[in-house]
Amino acid sequence: MKIVITYGTFDLFHVGHLNILKRAKALGDYLIVGLSTDEFNRDAKSKYTVISYEDRKEILESLKFVDLVIPEENWEQKVKDIQEYKVDTFVMGHDWDGKFDELKEYCEVVYLPRTEAISSSDLKKHIASTPHKRFERTETV
Ligand code: C2G
């Protein structure tokens, strides 16, 4: 069984998140998601999540592509996770291209194309400025 792992915040879940999880799962048989805790987001990523860790976890666990969700509490846990879960492939969107190449010592490292023109921060800006207008992914924000 080929085990794949990816990490992220997955706040305000959107199609960019769905696509990376779908593509990651397509690389193996079992997908683990390291989900950034609210504290890790705040303290290490300067991200203030709209949706709580518990609710973000429940959303991910309900997806057919996701087999296991574990907390991501720090930047350093990836090697331990890869060893503990016998991970074959580590996947991230290509906005992280090259940033995790040190993990090549432990497993395959794959950077996949991001979905264009959508991010949780884009959605927050859009909702704040034009709450009654549909967010169109073609628009540049
Ligand atoms: N993503 C994507 N397309 C988008 C938005 C996000 O493919 N339009 C991908 C990102 O590249 C990442 C994953 O979705 O692989 C999760 O994105 P975020 O929730 O923004 O997570 P991030 O802040 O990148 O945290 O240790 C790694 C970090 O936890 C990653």
Side-chain angles (χ1 to χ4, degrees), residues 6-11 14-17 19-20 23 34 36 40-41 45 47 72 74-75 78 90-96 100 112-120:
T6 189
Y7 293 80
T9 300
F10 298 99
D11 194 23
H14 55 70
V15 72
H17 296 142
N19 286 338
I20 193 84
R23 292 166 182 163
S36 311
F40 177 53
N41 274 305
K45 297 164 76 174
K47 278 191 170 186
E72 181 188 29
N74 57 66
W75 293 112
K78 294 182 176 71
F90 167 89
V91 172
M92 288 304 294
H94 67 33
D95 48 314
W96 289 93
F100 297 110
L112 293 173
R114 271 176 71 93
T115 302
E116 292 308 315
I118 188 161
S119 70
S120 306

